Amino acid sequence: MSYELYYWDGIQGRGEFVRLALEEADAAYVDVCRGPVGKGQGTPAMMVIMDGKSDFNMPFAPPFLKDGSLIIPHVANILMYLGPTLGLAPKEEGQRHVLNGLQLTITDLVAEVHDTHHPIATSKYYKDQKEEAKARASEFVENRIPKFLGYFERVLQQNPHGPAHIFGDGLTYVDLSLFQVYEGLRYAFPRATAHLDRRYPHLTALHAAVMKRPNIARYLRSDRRIPFNEDGIFRHYPELDRDMA
Ligand SMILES: N[C@@H](CCC(=O)N[C@@H](CS)C(=O)NCC(=O)O)C(=O)O
């Protein structure tokens, strides 16, 4: 039976972290909102569950994964659920929680990326909070990108199995998510991230290695990979970008 991924159509957004894991594992899944309306798919099918008009648990926000009768919300939670089955997480429970801690740090980072263009209200347009966005993005570029990426670089450096992976000696879903963060930050802040390779060599090598994995490379070439755009989490607004000190 296929997994069902529910996420807003037209953007990579937070759904992309889950897609990358499903694609790497070549798992059968339906991207429900991208399917035909009227055949149990499309955004209306998601809204039925979101609005509590189905027999399933009602999630607060997408993405969520449906596996049979289970609805699993929140990116990190979905990945923790899928990880062992997809071969992208250790089987041992304690280690799975360590991995989840890393993914939750990515959740925090993603929330801060979102807040660079929506610092005041998620319900308002970017154009209605541009001044505040400038201040927020400036702080993000100056202090938060170095703090988050510096942290992940150090975790790679300290991995007793070597810096090829963020945890243990094999690929995990966190490696895939770090690839996505690296891609997204470079799209949103090309000036600020101009020298990532020099500053964060292990992260840069991880990004390159993930991009070359056969299933990921195939996915990136496919039309399932929607280009970044200004409706997603990682948005490129030149006025929010600047050179890093
Ligand atoms: N912690 C959740 C955040 C989910 C989330 O914020 N989803 C966004 C789309 S990317 C949304 O639709 N939010 C609606 C809202 O917050 O009202 C996760 O990591 O999945």
Side-chain angles (χ1 to χ4, degrees):
M1 198 168 51
S2 289
Y3 294 111
E4 291 178 11
L5 173 63
Y6 289 79
Y7 191 68
W8 304 115
D9 191 15
I11 58 172
Q12 294 180 15
R14 287 180 168 91
E16 199 66 10
F17 295 98
V18 181
R19 274 186 209 104
L20 285 169
L22 292 166
E23 293 282 348
E24 166 61 28
D26 206 13
Y29 75 101
V30 178
D31 214 326
V32 175
C33 291
R34 294 185 186 172
V37 178
K39 297 199 172 159
Q41 294 186 37
T43 304
M46 179 168 84
M47 297 320 292
V48 169
I49 299 177
M50 297 264 300
D51 292 342
K53 293 183 181 146
S54 75
D55 295 336
F56 304 110
N57 278 3
M58 181 174 57
F60 177 73
F64 56 93
L65 184 85
K66 184 167 170 298
D67 183 15
S69 61
L70 288 178
I71 297 276
I72 317 278
H74 292 277
V75 172
N77 195 39
I78 298 168
L79 291 172
M80 195 173 175
Y81 174 76
L82 287 175
T85 310
L86 300 188
L88 291 171
K91 299 262 185 236
E92 201 272 309
E93 196 181 352
Q95 293 188 354
R96 286 178 55 209
H97 280 80
V98 175
L99 199 65
N100 186 44
L102 291 164
Q103 189 67 40
L104 286 168
T105 306
I106 295 176
T107 298
D108 291 346
L109 167 54
V110 169
E112 292 198 23
V113 171
H114 169 271
D115 290 352
T116 60
H117 48 79
H118 279 77
I120 300 296
T122 302
S123 56
K124 290 195 171 123
Y125 291 110
Y126 166 63
K127 70 176 173 50
D128 299 324
Q129 43 196 321
K130 276 179 98 163
E131 278 316 302
E132 295 90 344
K134 246 185 212 162
R136 184 73 194 234
S138 170
E139 161 65 20
F140 180 73
V141 164
E142 192 176 333
N143 292 318
R144 301 303 281 174
I145 292 182
K147 184 154 186 184
F148 276 109
L149 296 194
Y151 167 73
F152 287 120
E153 180 73 13
R154 285 201 311 281
V155 176
L156 284 166
Q157 171 85 51
Q158 286 179 356
N159 184 346
H161 299 276
H165 299 292
I166 197 76
F167 186 80
D169 58 0
L171 184 84
T172 63
Y173 60 76
V174 178
D175 292 321
L176 302 175
S177 291
L178 285 172
F179 160 81
Q180 177 66 6
V181 161
Y182 195 99
E183 282 285 290
L185 289 177
R186 283 200 314 182
Y187 171 78
F189 302 102
R191 283 174 61 188
T193 58
H195 302 297
L196 288 191
D197 52 342
R198 217 173 54 212
R199 290 170 198 252
Y200 311 109
H202 296 316
L203 261 183
T204 301
L206 173 62
H207 168 263
V210 167
M211 192 144 81
K212 281 196 214 116
R213 294 186 70 84
N215 288 355
I216 295 294
R218 185 189 59 188
Y219 169 61
L220 296 177
R221 283 193 308 270
S222 77
D223 58 8
R224 297 189 301 286
R225 172 77 168 185
I226 294 176
F228 287 107
N229 62 48
E230 279 51 63
D231 292 319
I233 299 282
F234 294 100
R235 303 185 183 191
H236 178 51
Y237 294 123
E239 62 276 19
L240 299 186
D241 192 15
R242 45 173 268 208
D243 298 332
M244 216 181 247

